[in-house]
Amino acid sequence: MPRTRKATVKARDGSEAVEGQHGVLAVERAVRVLRAFDGPEPFLTLAAMSERAQLHKATALRIARTLANAEFLVQRDDGSWRLGPAAGWLGALYQRTFDVDDAITPLLRALTRKTGESASLFVREGDVRTCLLRVESASEERAVVHPGTSFPLAKGAPGRVILAFSGQPGTLYEEIRRRGYHVAMRERAAEAASVAAPVFGANWQLLGAISISGPASRLTEARLRAHAGAVMQTARRASQLLGGTFVRSLARARPAP
């Protein structure tokens, strides 16, 4: 197990708490136990929970019981654990105060700064993909795509990604699901180039795709693939903010050379 530097600090009321490198150790460990449920399985054994939280079983059990007392966890009759009603209450409060624009636009701005290209969030509306949010790069003399603009799903990286993670059959879409991103050259328009990755919400629901795009004369396929990691990282963070999880296999994926 990884070692964490500890320090004992005194609060104003005289109580003591053990701190790790980034905060109070007990709180850090409790968060790790809760994050162990960040996956498709709704129920975890103590062994699975301790392994995912990177804690000894005895420590994980002690923390789980404390969280259960506050209804953040529930232990089932077979000994396995699941999230409790207090966790749902926190999620409901988060959703009530959440604003997609306020949360995702800063991610798109950061992606634009990192790549130097325009960044967008596309969502599916029937048989088309619609730009929900857009941050233009400084290199664009004028806005190429406006929020509210729609394009065919089968043209361009965002649409292909949406189709792939909606279960579209075919070798191309299987490859997209395996890689976790897609590069498109001159599909939507003669000079359009883009790379995109999926965004998920609660219960693994596909919400859309984050992409960067620009003219193919500047954005070569090699350059787009070099930016794929940054796009996937942004999509993963957006999924977390939207209450979902970037699929574990994709979170570990690396852009192909």
Side-chain angles (χ1 to χ4, degrees):
M1 302 293 176
R3 293 178 177 235
T4 306
R5 188 182 62 188
K6 302 177 182 178
T8 303
V9 295
K10 279 194 173 184
R12 291 181 179 178
D13 61 2
S15 61
E16 293 185 345
V18 178
E19 284 195 341
Q21 291 180 328
H22 305 293
V24 178
L25 186 60
V27 177
E28 289 178 2
R29 288 175 169 175
V31 170
R32 281 156 61 182
V33 168
L34 289 172
R35 285 190 177 276
F37 292 87
D38 184 11
E41 306 93 340
F43 311 114
L44 294 178
T45 63
L46 175 61
M49 184 168 59
S50 62
E51 180 180 0
R52 289 188 180 183
Q54 294 186 300
L55 295 169
H56 292 291
K57 286 184 181 180
T59 302
L61 179 60
R62 183 171 65 252
I63 293 172
R65 286 174 173 169
T66 302
L67 290 170
N69 288 338
E71 297 187 327
F72 281 94
L73 291 181
V74 172
Q75 188 172 24
R76 305 169 76 210
D77 292 340
D78 63 2
S80 64
W81 296 83
R82 66 172 176 83
L83 292 175
W89 168 72
L90 276 182
L93 288 180
Y94 174 77
Q95 292 292 338
R96 195 190 324 167
T97 59
F98 185 82
D99 184 280
V100 173
D101 194 344
D102 288 345
I104 306 302
T105 298
L107 298 182
L108 298 181
R109 289 198 188 102
L111 182 60
T112 296
R113 286 195 299 270
K114 187 170 186 177
T115 63
E117 305 299 337
S118 300
S120 308
L121 171 64
F122 282 90
V123 296
R124 182 172 188 168
E125 293 186 334
D127 295 329
V128 299
R129 58 178 172 97
T130 300
C131 181
L132 185 63
L133 300 172
R134 174 86 169 181
V135 174
E136 296 289 348
S137 71
S139 61
E140 300 291 353
E141 295 181 0
R142 60 183 179 83
V144 178
V145 177
H146 299 274
T149 305
S150 296
F151 301 104
L153 278 173
K155 292 185 178 181
R160 297 283 193 185
V161 163
I162 290 171
L163 284 173
F165 289 91
S166 296
Q168 186 77 10
T171 302
L172 171 63
Y173 297 107
E174 290 175 4
E175 291 176 354
I176 295 173
R177 288 188 285 270
R178 176 180 57 80
R179 284 194 307 263
Y181 71 94
H182 181 58
V183 168
M185 300 293 296
R186 298 181 172 89
E187 285 190 4
R188 179 179 62 79
E191 276 300 306
S194 58
V195 57
V199 175
F200 299 93
N203 300 318
W204 307 91
Q205 178 186 7
L206 177 68
L207 296 181
I210 279 180
S211 70
I212 60 169
S213 60
S217 57
R218 183 179 72 245
L219 274 178
T220 63
E221 184 172 350
R223 187 169 180 178
L224 286 171
R225 291 192 185 280
H227 289 320
V231 174
M232 293 172 70
Q233 184 179 19
T234 302
R236 180 162 58 247
R237 180 56 182 153
S239 296
Q240 292 169 345
L241 291 175
L242 292 167
T245 305
F246 200 71
V247 179
R248 288 185 181 277
S249 61
L250 301 186
R252 293 194 298 268
R254 294 293 183 270

